[in-house]
Amino acid sequence: MPLIPSLINGELTTSSSLPNIPVTNPANNEVIAELTCTSEAELALAVASAKTAFQSWKEVPASERARVMMRYQQLLKEHHDELATILSSETGKTLADAKGDVWRGIEVVEQAINIPSMMMGETAENVARGIDTYSFIQPLGVCLGITPFNFPAMIPLWMFPMAIACGNTFILKPSEQDPLTPMRLAELFIQAGAPQGVLNVVHGGKDQVNMLLQDPDIRAVSFVGSVPVGQHIYKTATDNMKRAQCFAGAKNHSVIMPDSNKIQVLNNLVGASVGAAGQRCMAISVAVFVGDTKKWIGELTELLKAVKPGLWDDESAGFGPLISPQAKQKVLSLIQHGKDEGATCLLDGSDFVLDKAGYENGNWVGPTVFADVSEDMVIYQEEIFGPVLCCMTVDTLEQAIALVNRNPYGNGTSIFTASGAAARKYQHEIEVGQVGINVPIPVPLPFFSFTGWKNSFYGDLHAYGKQAVRFYTETKTITARWFEDDIPSGPNMTISLK
Ligand code: NAD
């Protein structure tokens, strides 16, 4: 059985005294690897190593740091399919979806290559007579990243490449549910030329995170995961005087206007709702049908009925299993809640079992559609994180906007319409950080930032793009005055001492 090590001070280590955590294939729940849990002493070593490495890494010119990122990007591209296959083996994602997960991460590394120009400060001449002011952007020190299971390539790559390109050193604590992909990412980063201690990877769950949050040498914390954990990490990190950015759960609405293109809308909703088994923080989990479009719900249900979960290498599979039996249990209990609360279950995936020998015990749930969903229902209020779409109806765009704005989450939303005026009103009035217009899942590319709002994000500065550079750096502002009398003059150009 493969044993997954930590990466501490440039060495792969399996020396932990703690019990291992089994890593399973979600398609049949068989154990595929054992994860070593990083002990308290090893965590301290990782922080010390990152602290030492920072002293030299911060002096490496930004253009040289960018070259490490260039080599890394190249290696990631060369290993793209290998990474996607590893990712599928531990998440159950279809290969196409896994490739997308890796690719979205590579795009952030591409952005990190631009670091020299992104770290340029500002200048102003003659702020007072003979005085100039200019600013530099300098790295913080040791940064920590805590990542969720659902994008084991993309989300670690949201964090450490930008932080390290800025001149910081990094400790990554990936999800214990799928650590094989992040470890492979780390190995390739070392291969790209990252010096010892610049990236450390530690493993475990809440105990390891809580120990790291107390460590005074960690300056900034990036987290992606669920709401309760995000709130806990934001509070604990800031109580310990650290900078924090915590990306949390979501409930994303898609608003369907009567003038929209029905075929496009329905096809888009299928992929956006149940793709990746609904385990995406930008998945569309609520479809809001405006006016007569409620007649489309039946057709949408028929399309979703045709989507079949399957194994990662089955090209006809619409999506894979849920990550764990616990995740499946949670989704099944929410589906039952929906039925008990009086929502109409038009399509029920609770009993889906993959008809393939050896995979009957996987964490399968089929596409599920509820109509007649109201705001007071638990299936509307809670993030389900499964292949479940809630359909709601309103009469007007104003009512749709009010509904979305009452929801406590604000990660993503989309509107389907042929009207520029309706789209303009929606983008302006909606209290959600990422808005798609005829685009179902509006995840920004890395030259922008990933900008969730409300309960989907705790902090100020978001992931990747210019905001990440600000998050991972300090600005130093220099006000300089030079005296004309001091300009060396005469044949020897000597400076006069006063
Ligand atoms: P999770 O909160 O259970 O775990 C996330 C990380 O926190 C893991 O590394 C885990 O080991 C650690 N952790 C878990 N419990 C902890 C505790 N009590 N104290 C400290 N650390 C703890 O999340 P998950 O189930 O892995 O991921 C799914 C969640 O992530 C969903 O809610 C999803 O919406 C969210 N997510 C959000 C975004 C976003 O950008 N907003 C992106 C992806 C996923």
Side-chain angles (χ1 to χ4, degrees):
M1 184 67 55
L3 188 57
I4 307 166
S6 305
L7 172 67
I8 298 175
N9 201 27
E11 309 247 317
L12 294 172
T13 162
T14 54
S15 67
S16 175
S17 46
L18 299 170
N20 296 334
I21 300 176
V23 178
T24 54
N25 171 1
N28 56 12
N29 286 310
E30 278 175 12
V31 177
I32 54 171
E34 294 274 342
L35 178 67
T36 45
C37 253
T38 314
S39 69
E40 189 168 6
E42 290 162 341
L43 290 175
L45 269 179
V47 178
S49 151
K51 195 178 168 189
T52 305
F54 177 63
Q55 291 313 316
S56 44
W57 184 242
K58 72 183 164 82
E59 300 302 334
V60 173
S63 48
E64 276 183 42
R65 301 199 302 262
R67 275 179 221 123
V68 174
M69 295 301 159
M70 279 181 216
R71 287 193 293 276
Y72 190 40
Q73 179 222 31
Q74 188 56 38
L75 278 172
L76 289 173
K77 282 183 178 163
E78 284 165 20
H79 291 265
H80 183 211
D81 289 1
E82 176 212 334
L83 281 161
T85 307
I86 296 172
L87 198 152
S88 288
S89 74
E90 58 181 347
T91 61
K93 279 190 187 189
T94 61
L95 190 57
D97 207 12
K99 284 182 178 176
D101 188 333
V102 177
W103 185 253
R104 294 311 296 257
I106 292 176
E107 289 175 330
V108 183
V109 178
E110 276 172 6
Q111 182 63 7
I113 292 169
N114 294 324
I115 202 66
S117 58
M118 293 176 85
M119 285 190 75
M120 284 165 64
E122 296 176 313
T123 62
E125 192 185 30
N126 248 13
V127 291
R129 282 176 202 285
I131 298 183
D132 304 329
T133 297
Y134 45 92
S135 60
F136 293 132
I137 296 184
Q138 297 190 337
L140 297 174
V142 182
C143 301
L144 168 66
I146 303 150
T147 55
F149 78 82
N150 68 328
F151 283 98
M154 178 184 81
I155 293 181
L157 291 173
W158 277 6
M159 299 179 182
F160 74 80
M162 286 304 291
I164 291 174
C166 286
N168 299 288
T169 53
F170 205 85
I171 297 182
L172 175 67
K173 205 303 284 169
S175 171
E176 62 277 37
Q177 300 191 82
D178 45 18
L180 286 162
T181 310
M183 275 316 288
R184 189 71 189 118
L185 294 176
E187 284 167 7
L188 293 172
F189 193 56
I190 304 300
Q191 207 176 314
Q196 187 179 342
V198 165
L199 175 66
N200 296 270
V201 186
V202 298
H203 297 297
K206 71 173 188 207
D207 291 345
Q208 282 70 14
V209 171
N210 288 331
M211 283 185 252
L212 288 166
L213 291 176
Q214 306 295 329
D215 194 309
D217 286 327
I218 291 176
R219 293 287 314 280
V221 181
S222 301
F223 166 84
V224 179
S226 59
V227 167
V229 181
Q231 290 181 342
H232 161 70
I233 288 182
Y234 188 74
K235 285 188 202 152
T236 315
T238 51
D239 272 356
N240 283 283
M241 302 302 168
K242 300 181 196 313
R243 205 174 272 199
Q245 52 172 194
C246 296
F247 300 81
K251 199 82 182 171
N252 305 311
H253 301 66
S254 192
V255 171
I256 297 113
M257 296 295 287
D259 62 357
S260 56
N261 178 324
K262 185 172 89 174
I263 304 292
Q264 268 182 21
V265 169
L266 299 185
N267 287 335
N268 274 309
L269 282 179
V270 169
S273 58
V274 302
Q279 298 175 114
R280 290 180 178 142
C281 67
M282 290 288 278
I284 293 298
S285 46
V286 184
V288 183
F289 292 86
V290 181
D292 276 351
T293 63
K294 56 177 166 281
K295 293 185 195 140
W296 302 355
I297 296 175
E299 232 174 294
L300 175 62
T301 306
E302 287 307 310
L303 288 175
L304 282 164
K305 203 181 277 181
V307 180
K308 300 291 175 214
L311 295 179
W312 68 276
D313 55 354
D314 173 358
E315 285 182 12
S316 69
F319 57 87
L322 295 172
I323 190 69
S324 64
Q326 294 78 0
K328 173 173 173 171
Q329 214 35 59
K330 183 186 164 205
V331 171
L332 293 187
S333 104
L334 281 163
I335 293 174
Q336 188 56 47
H337 242 296
K339 294 176 190 164
D340 296 345
E341 286 173 314
T344 308
C345 191
L346 298 175
L347 179 63
D348 185 355
S350 309
D351 294 330
F352 180 88
V353 176
L354 190 71
D355 186 15
K356 192 162 172 77
Y359 295 95
E360 302 86 349
N361 292 329
N363 311 314
W364 306 103
V365 175
T368 300
V369 181
F370 279 106
D372 307 311
V373 174
S374 57
E375 279 177 84
D376 55 337
M377 292 180 180
V378 174
I379 51 166
Y380 178 72
Q381 290 169 356
E382 279 197 26
E383 181 184 44
I384 301 176
F385 229 53
V388 182
L389 180 66
C390 293
C391 297
M392 301 175 87
T393 56
V394 294
D395 294 327
T396 64
L397 175 60
E398 283 76 10
Q399 288 172 356
I401 291 173
L403 169 74
V404 178
N405 284 348
R406 280 194 297 275
N407 191 278
Y409 295 102
N411 219 30
T413 185
S414 49
I415 182 168
F416 286 92
T417 181
S419 157
R424 168 71 175 64
K425 183 178 171 66
Y426 195 75
Q427 76 183 22
H428 183 64
E429 293 183 13
I430 212 70
E431 292 161 13
V432 174
Q434 300 171 109
V435 183
I437 297 171
N438 299 316
V439 170
I441 301 190
V443 177
L445 281 160
F447 26 91
F448 287 89
S449 296
F450 188 93
T451 53
W453 283 14
K454 300 203 286 192
N455 274 4
S456 298
F457 179 68
Y458 307 101
D460 319 280
L461 294 167
H462 293 86
Y464 58 78
K466 289 182 193 144
Q467 294 200 23
V469 175
R470 289 188 56 206
F471 181 75
Y472 291 124
T473 58
E474 296 274 27
T475 304
K476 183 180 280 176
T477 312
I478 294 145
T479 300
R481 182 178 187 184
W482 298 98
F483 299 94
E484 288 216 6
D485 296 358
D486 288 342
I487 297 175
S489 59
N492 296 328
M493 299 284 280
T494 49
I495 295 173
S496 62
L497 292 172
K498 291 194 175 144

